[in-house]
Amino acid sequence: MKTPAPIDLRSDTVTLPSAAMRAAMADAPVGDDQYGEDPTMNRLQQRVAAVLAKEAALWLPSGTMANQVALRVLTRPGDDVIVSKEAHAVWHETGGSAANAGVQLNEIGARGVFTTAQFRAAVKPRGHIIYPPTTLVEIENSHNRSGGVIFPQDEVERICAAAREMEIATYLDGARLWNTSVASGRPVSALAAPFDLVSVALSKGLGAPGGTLLAGSRELVAKCVRHRRMLGGAMRQIGFFAAAGLYALDHNIERLAEDHANCRIIGERLSESTHVELDLSSVQTNILVFGLAADALDANTLVARARERGVLISAFGPRTVRAVTHLDVSREHCGQVAKILLDIIDGRA
Ligand SMILES: *Cc1c(COP(=O)(O)O)cnc(C)c1O
């Protein structure tokens, strides 16, 4: 008997292009994008700029490169950049911000968010003889390591207004901005409005095989073009990726609500266990980050035992685990996952 494919909740990046997405890719007219001659890519970039209500947008191979390019365009080496605690830039980019932009990251707040007062208190003034100048604030929305939490938009607006007043640039790491939009009912254009530069991913919940776009003013995006090339990310016939992105924008945004509901199902079931530490109010989108109590098994053991039972999840710390729902897992899968994890955690398996 064939063993069933595992239920893979390690990330929403594991989704595979559907047959219809592959067909759209195969049919895409393409050209050399570095001459600006890939018609499908031009269409995607214009569409994303319009959706985000920015002047221009630029495709990059990954969200990590988008974050690196944003840092290089908005800062100078030696600058100080304010980010949320456990930002993707701090944990998941192999030190890229230090190596590529030469900046230091200052983590503030808690659980993925911070207040305007915390931001103001962290800003190091310019022109001081010993302080590194704070020239950029970066907000991650939704926040990956904090369990997909949404940054309250009124606070975003106050922080960005304060930044503008102090001539500090603003960047939104919106790898999962589509999730925030669907969960909060706010259009991505409203979520992006306060920021100079914004990234959105096609390869997370939207299910495309790759690509992140940076959007902002024409002037800033022109600078991004240069840094994309400098980092080796300028490519040629990338309309195939753009076609997948356009397909994803047409078909895979509204359905993110299902991922959020599925994540909630697992969260609610797990929170019934006294061995699980989980604040259900943090389960707002498609990412579940939970703790294992001191008297329970540790994260690596849970991950290994879950794998034996056909469920893939990630250890994010010694007693911290992450599971992410996405378009290749169904509600039934999520019910099974909850049962399997509970059985292991509560010692029934
Ligand atoms: C995944 C992610 C990125 C970058 O992703 P790539 O894997 O490099 O495409 C950036 N920011 C956040 C918040 C992410 O979750």
Side-chain angles (χ1 to χ4, degrees):
M1 203 178 79
K2 196 161 154 259
T3 35
I7 303 171
D8 193 345
L9 300 182
R10 288 171 300 171
S11 177
D12 45 9
T13 57
V14 301
T15 53
L16 299 177
S18 62
M21 183 182 278
R22 284 168 187 261
M25 294 171 76
D27 286 345
V30 296
D32 191 325
D33 182 62
Q34 291 200 55
Y35 291 102
E37 291 173 5
D38 191 306
T40 311
M41 183 52 76
N42 290 341
R43 209 147 63 79
L44 174 69
Q45 289 176 162
Q46 280 158 16
R47 175 146 169 208
V48 170
V51 168
L52 292 171
K54 299 292 186 193
E55 284 177 2
L58 179 73
W59 186 91
L60 298 101
S62 74
T64 299
M65 187 181 285
N67 284 354
Q68 300 306 308
V69 165
L71 286 174
R72 286 172 65 150
V73 164
L74 299 172
T75 65
R76 309 253 313 153
D79 286 358
D80 178 76
V81 176
I82 292 176
V83 298
S84 52
K85 272 264 157 59
E86 295 204 38
H88 192 276
V90 176
W91 280 77
H92 293 195
E93 298 179 13
T94 70
S97 45
N100 295 320
V103 295
Q104 69 178 29
L105 300 178
N106 181 10
E107 292 173 271
I108 66 169
R111 297 187 197 177
V113 301
F114 52 85
T115 64
T116 313
Q118 287 169 325
F119 167 61
R120 284 187 183 278
V123 169
K124 301 174 186 72
R126 257 162 254 194
H128 192 279
I129 55 167
I130 51 175
Y131 294 155
T134 303
T135 54
L136 175 66
V137 57
E138 174 179 317
I139 284 178
E140 187 178 315
N141 195 8
S142 69
H143 195 277
N144 186 342
R145 291 186 66 90
S146 303
V149 298
I150 293 171
F151 210 111
Q153 191 62 15
D154 51 350
E155 201 65 51
V156 167
E157 282 162 15
R158 283 192 290 269
I159 290 164
C160 290
R164 200 154 306 115
E165 183 194 293
M166 293 183 275
E167 294 182 9
I168 292 170
T170 52
Y171 174 56
L172 171 60
D173 178 349
R176 294 190 182 81
L177 199 64
W178 316 107
N179 296 86
T180 299
S181 169
V182 166
S184 68
R186 290 174 195 267
V188 284
S189 56
L191 298 170
F195 294 91
D196 296 321
L197 210 49
V198 176
S199 68
V200 286
L202 302 170
S203 57
K204 299 269 166 85
L206 293 202
T212 282
L213 288 104
L214 275 175
S217 67
R218 256 181 222 105
E219 192 190 341
L220 276 180
V221 171
K223 289 183 182 166
C224 294
V225 172
R226 177 174 183 220
H227 286 277
R228 179 181 68 172
R229 174 86 184 166
M230 210 184 280
L231 291 174
M235 293 163 70
R236 304 294 179 174
Q237 285 75 24
I238 45 177
F240 296 115
F241 280 103
L246 287 164
Y247 181 91
L249 293 177
D250 284 335
H251 296 97
N252 292 346
I253 293 183
E254 272 148 46
R255 63 150 308 285
L256 291 172
E258 294 170 34
D259 299 344
H260 301 168
N262 288 344
C263 189
R264 190 83 202 171
I265 286 173
I266 304 176
E268 281 172 0
R269 289 289 306 283
L270 290 190
S271 68
E272 290 164 14
S273 168
T274 53
H275 298 116
V276 169
E277 291 167 353
L278 172 63
D279 174 4
L280 275 179
S281 72
S282 76
V283 188
Q284 299 169 8
T285 57
N286 68 325
I287 304 180
L288 185 69
V289 171
F290 61 93
L292 292 161
D295 62 345
L297 72 190
D298 67 11
N300 284 332
T301 308
L302 174 60
V303 168
R305 293 218 188 130
R307 180 178 278 273
E308 287 164 12
R309 307 264 321 259
V311 173
L312 307 185
I313 50 177
S314 314
F316 256 35
R319 310 200 72 81
T320 308
V321 174
R322 187 185 77 165
V324 186
T325 54
H326 54 75
L327 95 167
D328 289 349
V329 291
S330 64
R331 179 158 298 203
E332 291 69 41
H333 283 142
C334 291
Q336 289 168 29
V337 165
K339 181 174 185 316
I340 289 169
L341 294 182
L342 270 183
D343 281 352
I344 300 169
I345 293 167
D346 289 340
R348 294 188 292 259

